[in-house]
Amino acid sequence: MDLFTTLIVLAGAVLLFAFAWWQDKRERIPGQVSLIPYTMIQILAVVTCLVLLAHLVTLFSGAPFRGRFGG
């Protein structure tokens, strides 16, 4: 994935997190259950952001990430 695509997907993940956070904080009618788990969407968006930020580090440094043991 190139830099431009990575930045677009990262921006999409940040917007998805913001939307899920907004929906999660909205007031609900007592007894009404949300059918969409916005907290899980937030978790997935944060994990996606962390992976993409790590990918950006490898794009800027020019060296692939080799892992903990250098394998």
Side-chain angles (χ1 to χ4, degrees):
M1 203 173 357
D2 62 338
L3 178 64
F4 184 69
T5 308
T6 304
L7 290 175
I8 287 178
V9 174
L10 180 62
V14 169
L15 287 174
L16 181 66
F17 175 82
F19 176 75
W21 180 77
W22 173 63
Q23 288 292 324
D24 196 35
K25 297 301 176 191
R26 252 183 3 161
E27 281 195 35
R28 304 232 185 273
I29 300 170
Q32 182 183 14
V33 178
S34 176
L35 297 177
I36 301 173
Y38 289 109
T39 305
M40 186 57 67
I41 292 173
Q42 289 176 344
I43 292 170
L44 292 175
V46 166
V47 169
T48 303
C49 287
L50 290 175
V51 169
L52 288 172
L53 287 173
H55 183 62
L56 279 176
V57 168
T58 62
L59 285 176
F60 286 135
S61 69
F65 182 68
R66 298 245 182 233
R68 181 183 299 182
F69 302 111

